[in-house]
Amino acid sequence: MKNFKEFCCGQPIEGMKGRPDGCIVDVTDSGVSVLVLMNRPTPKEISQFEGGKGVKVKLLSLRGIIFFIIKVGDNGWMDAPYNVHLSKNLKKLQKVVDGEGYAMHIMLIDTFTGKLVKQKLYGMPHDTSKNLYKMVMEQRKKFLSKEKYEENIRDIYGAYSTKKLLKFAS
């Protein structure tokens, strides 16, 4: 059980205080980890992370980067780039079994305090999980340096909004 880390609401998350608003995604051996960073989230924004509030996930591969485009409850769409070559906690991505999908651990962090405010576990749909597996395997074949990855992200964000990326993913 030493591969698991306990996260408790109210606890500080290292390195999160003072970060800009955004979304960070990592794929790990145990599923997908999503950090939603908000400076002083409102009660309405926080309430969208309650049980029963839906989650939507779209994927897009663009210029060697996988983009996760995520919506939690009624909050706006967020996007996060991902590169398997920069993933520190992924040794072997499990193939998707029929009828199942990857687990997605979504954590809302208040960047003013650096503390975990809310968290939820979401089961990604089977087809989305299969698509992610395929994208990660393809990305793994094509090494992208950290410098080129960052350059591509700057170029993509300079050309496309989250709304446009969402259209490409649909």
Side-chain angles (χ1 to χ4, degrees), residues 25 27 58-69 79-84 131-140 144 149 153 156-157:
V25 172
V27 178
K58 306 271 185 185
L59 300 171
L60 172 66
S61 182
L62 192 60
R63 295 184 68 174
I65 300 168
I66 298 169
F67 284 88
F68 285 78
I69 306 164
D79 61 81
Y82 172 74
N83 183 320
V84 69
N131 195 16
L132 176 59
Y133 180 84
K134 182 179 162 192
M135 288 176 158
V136 168
M137 292 302 115
E138 282 298 312
Q139 191 180 63
R140 208 173 236 162
L144 192 63
Y149 170 73
I153 289 172
I156 290 167
Y157 283 146

Side-chain angles (χ1 to χ4, degrees), residues 80-120:
Y82 172 74
N83 183 320
V84 69
H85 300 289
L86 301 176
S87 234
K88 293 179 179 133
N89 298 309
L90 179 64
K91 304 294 180 249
K92 182 176 183 348
L93 185 61
Q94 297 298 314
K95 255 189 161 170
V96 181
V97 178
D98 283 343
E100 295 184 6
Y102 294 124
M104 180 178 272
H105 182 205
I106 305 170
M107 295 178 278
L108 173 62
I109 298 167
D110 180 349
T111 58
F112 182 74
T113 63
K115 292 181 180 177
L116 176 62
V117 177
K118 281 280 188 194
Q119 59 184 330
K120 71 186 300 169

Side-chain angles (χ1 to χ4, degrees), residues 3 13-14 28 35 44 54 65 70 72-73 79 81 89 92 96-97 107 112 118 127 135 141 145 151 153 168:
N3 293 335
I13 305 294
E14 186 179 333
T28 70
L35 304 179
K44 184 177 190 287
I65 300 168
I70 302 166
V72 179
D79 61 81
N89 298 309
K92 182 176 183 348
V96 181
V97 178
M107 295 178 278
F112 182 74
K118 281 280 188 194
D127 290 344
M135 288 176 158
K141 293 177 193 172
S145 71
E151 177 186 325
I153 289 172
F168 292 152

Side-chain angles (χ1 to χ4, degrees), residues 5 7-21 24 35-41 107-118:
K5 184 174 179 181
F7 293 97
C8 298
C9 289
Q11 99 181 54
I13 305 294
E14 186 179 333
M16 294 297 122
K17 190 172 183 177
R19 297 278 303 256
D21 286 6
I24 300 169
L35 304 179
V36 177
L37 310 178
M38 290 185 182
N39 187 339
R40 296 183 177 135
M107 295 178 278
L108 173 62
I109 298 167
D110 180 349
T111 58
F112 182 74
T113 63
K115 292 181 180 177
L116 176 62
V117 177
K118 281 280 188 194

